[in-house]
Amino acid sequence: MPLRTGVTRPISLLLPTALAAVTLTGCALLDLAADCEGTDARVKELAALDVLGSRPEGAAVAEGFEEVDAGCWADSGDVVAHAARTYAFPGTRAEVGEHYRTTAVRDGWTPDPDAPAGDLCLTREGMTLRIVFLTAESLAEDGHGSRPDLTTGAGYSVGVESYVNDGAGAGC
């Protein structure tokens, strides 16, 4: 009894295609990981910056965010080292902004005049410092679920990033 080739032919074409896709994707993922090789020292430098530990009086490190979130990402040839802390603060966004404008400027950070209105973004020596206020939506997108401690008052993240590979200037 002969086999029906109409059923086996599409499967025989699908298997090599799937294997090629897995192989190519795997190589791309390995390339991205390789791009971050050698960035450990820069990541540690960013994680140790005083501005990440600075916070307005009454702000507390948010539960579940006790450690500095630091690492590296690579995309389209850009390699970026980053570090961030997340705080819960019962006060206002204006109080957070005032604290970081004063503290960061004293540490040599310069407010970016081209930053969009309402954004708090400063630069220093090839680094960008951003204060990002958290919302229920942004927390959900990042997989942190509902966090009333971070969406009442002024829950925020203070983060620093630096391009590693191409010397791109810092900017907002």
Side-chain angles (χ1 to χ4, degrees):
M1 182 186 268
L3 289 173
R4 295 179 54 198
T5 58
V7 173
T8 57
R9 190 171 295 135
I11 292 173
S12 65
L13 293 175
L14 181 62
L15 188 56
T17 303
L19 288 173
V22 167
T23 302
L24 292 174
T25 303
C27 290
L29 293 175
L30 290 175
D31 289 344
L32 290 177
D35 288 342
C36 283
E37 286 181 25
T39 61
D40 290 347
R42 184 63 176 155
V43 169
K44 286 180 184 177
E45 283 177 42
L46 295 179
L49 288 171
D50 290 338
V51 72
L52 295 178
S54 174
R55 58 186 183 222
E57 189 173 326
V61 173
E63 185 177 328
F65 295 90
E66 289 82 5
E67 301 296 321
V68 172
D69 176 22
C72 172
W73 59 266
D75 183 29
S76 302
D78 291 329
V79 178
V80 180
H82 64 88
R85 294 297 307 252
T86 300
Y87 294 100
F89 181 59
T92 67
R93 290 179 176 200
E95 291 171 303
V96 171
E98 182 180 331
H99 170 79
Y100 285 101
R101 278 186 200 91
T102 301
T103 303
V105 168
R106 186 176 31 220
D107 285 347
W109 294 89
T110 304
D112 189 324
D114 297 327
D119 282 2
L120 184 54
C121 184
L122 302 100
T123 60
R124 180 181 99 183
E125 300 166 4
M127 299 177 287
T128 302
L129 169 67
R130 284 188 174 85
I131 310 303
V132 177
F133 293 100
L134 305 174
T135 64
E137 294 81 18
S138 66
L139 288 166
E141 285 175 11
D142 290 339
H144 297 294
S146 175
R147 294 289 305 264
D149 60 324
L150 294 175
T151 56
T152 56
Y156 68 95
S157 174
V158 54
V160 178
E161 62 183 31
S162 174
Y163 283 83
V164 176
N165 60 334
D166 62 3
C172 303

